[in-house]
Amino acid sequence: MIYTCTLNPALDKMGYVDKIQLNQLNRLTHIESDAGGKGINVSRDIKALNHKSVAVGFLGGSAGTFIEMLLRREDIDHNMIEILGNTRTNLKVFDENGVSEFNEEGPFVLNDELEALLDFFRSHLDERCILVISGSMPKGCGMDTYKRIIEIAKENESLVFLDTSMKYLMPSLEAHPDIVKITSTDLAKINHIDARLSEEEIASMGREFIRQHCEMLCVSHDHQGVYLITKSKMLHCTPMNLEIKSKVGVGDAFVAGFVVGLENGLRDEEVLRLAGASYAAASQRSNAHPKSYEEVRAYLDQIVIERK
């Protein structure tokens, strides 16, 4: 079983207007609402790959109720801890110049609510499970929260995939997740370098990273694709020449393809290929979620994997 962890989900509202007029009344032509949060995105993309997952996290207030309704409607298994605070709402306003984003900070999670989530993981994770931890944390969760979750997963012999920003990544590495996904920019920052990394630098810094922290490292490198680094090899997934229709959420589609590949027992090259195909399929949809496995499969033979 794959579990996805989204501690700070959001109700995403997308509004459309011809042109934003500053300091004036702007009438939106229409609004679309959707469930947001990296782990929830991963669960959706796993479903598109004909696999099951359980989305775990916190939900509260009317926005939380709406998100849970969407999860039920989409037939995504979930175990959301109900909290007193209100799940945040993020607004994206699209006009002729692009998109302007207005994101709320998020709720405050009480200690007993956090403990309820930790207890869920203690009682459900085992050696057959893969846990995907994605995104940010709400207020009330200490900076060691991901570390605590990873430790529970490791005690229960589950495999852990961590995909979060530098703010939450560094305290979490003490628990040694199995797989980490970061950008080459963050890899450079960890090594106190303020410059774009070469492939050779990604290789050397990546191997040092996994020596200290994990078993596998996925490094997304600008528009140059993704590197998968292990103790014995480095693989490169070359990006396809596609016009990207949506960038938000394509990384979550990559993660979904990766963990489904792991669950299927595929070789590292084929795991990376499935992840790359899932990314490509997501990039061609406005909501960045592949609709079906057929969409992903159409790109499998076009994904180029090189051993470096």
Side-chain angles (χ1 to χ4, degrees):
M1 175 58 70
I2 300 173
Y3 290 89
T4 64
C5 179
T6 311
L7 299 189
N8 202 18
L11 174 60
D12 284 341
K13 287 190 173 182
M14 292 146 284
Y16 298 83
V17 66
D18 293 334
K19 184 176 182 180
I20 294 178
Q21 304 290 334
L22 296 178
N23 302 315
Q24 297 185 38
L25 174 65
N26 291 272
R27 295 190 182 278
L28 301 174
T29 56
H30 68 283
I31 291 181
E32 300 171 3
S33 297
D34 200 2
K38 291 178 69 63
I40 289 175
N41 289 341
V42 173
S43 278
R44 279 178 164 158
D45 299 331
I46 288 172
K47 186 175 186 294
L49 293 167
N50 296 331
H51 276 252
K52 286 186 173 292
S53 69
V54 178
V56 183
F58 299 118
L59 289 177
S62 58
T65 299
F66 185 78
I67 290 174
E68 188 159 23
M69 180 195 71
L70 288 177
L71 293 175
R72 288 198 302 268
R73 181 177 294 178
E74 296 178 33
D75 196 26
I76 295 175
D77 291 339
H78 57 280
N79 191 95
M80 293 292 177
I81 306 300
E82 184 177 359
I83 60 174
L84 290 176
N86 294 313
T87 295
R88 61 189 175 136
T89 297
N90 294 338
L91 175 63
K92 296 176 175 64
V93 180
F94 296 82
D95 72 352
E96 61 184 21
N97 296 315
V99 58
S100 300
E101 299 190 38
F102 305 86
N103 290 352
E104 292 183 1
E105 191 174 25
F108 189 95
V109 173
L110 301 176
N111 186 64
D112 61 340
E113 295 166 344
L114 175 58
E115 287 300 324
L117 180 132
L118 297 178
D119 285 342
F120 175 85
F121 285 132
R122 289 188 184 101
S123 60
H124 286 79
L125 294 178
D126 59 32
E127 70 278 0
R128 300 167 296 177
C129 297
I130 300 174
L131 173 63
V132 179
I133 302 174
S134 303
S136 63
M137 291 189 286
K139 293 175 291 184
C141 291
M143 293 302 292
D144 66 340
T145 298
Y146 282 162
K147 175 176 177 286
R148 295 174 67 187
I149 295 173
I150 295 168
E151 287 173 343
I152 291 170
K154 302 288 280 186
E155 287 171 2
N156 291 1
E157 300 182 15
S158 299
L159 194 72
V160 181
F161 191 120
L162 178 63
D163 178 19
T164 189
S165 63
M166 283 279 285
K167 177 180 179 180
Y168 307 106
L169 172 66
M170 300 313 292
S172 307
L173 291 177
E174 295 178 21
H176 301 289
D178 297 281
I179 308 155
V180 174
K181 180 176 177 287
I182 61 174
T183 66
S184 58
T185 301
D186 284 346
L187 185 60
K189 288 179 181 177
I190 292 171
N191 289 275
H192 310 290
I193 294 175
D194 185 19
R196 189 175 186 276
L197 298 181
S198 67
E199 186 174 274
E200 291 74 18
E201 288 171 326
I202 290 174
S204 61
M205 293 177 189
R207 291 190 178 104
E208 178 60 21
F209 187 97
I210 63 174
R211 187 189 69 81
Q212 296 184 48
H213 304 298
C214 60
E215 297 296 321
M216 284 180 155
L217 179 66
C218 296
V219 183
S220 57
H221 188 43
D222 300 329
H223 303 292
Q224 304 302 312
V226 178
Y227 293 91
L228 173 61
I229 304 170
T230 71
K231 290 183 173 69
S232 60
K233 59 179 174 290
M234 182 169 83
L235 304 173
H236 180 223
C237 179
T238 305
M240 295 180 61
N241 186 22
L242 296 170
E243 180 180 350
I244 306 298
K245 295 183 179 179
S246 175
K247 291 183 179 180
V248 179
V250 290
D252 303 324
F254 177 94
V255 173
F258 199 99
V259 295
V260 167
L262 290 175
E263 188 178 49
N264 285 341
L266 301 181
R267 296 183 300 112
D268 291 345
E269 288 82 356
E270 299 312 310
V271 167
L272 189 56
R273 188 183 308 280
L274 181 58
S278 182
Y279 178 102
S283 75
Q284 298 304 291
R285 297 186 64 86
S286 59
N287 65 357
H289 299 302
K291 186 177 181 180
S292 67
Y293 178 64
E294 284 67 33
E295 288 185 9
V296 176
R297 186 169 56 187
Y299 292 100
L300 275 174
D301 292 340
Q302 303 175 57
I303 300 298
V304 178
I305 306 296
E306 298 176 296
R307 187 159 183 159
K308 296 293 183 175

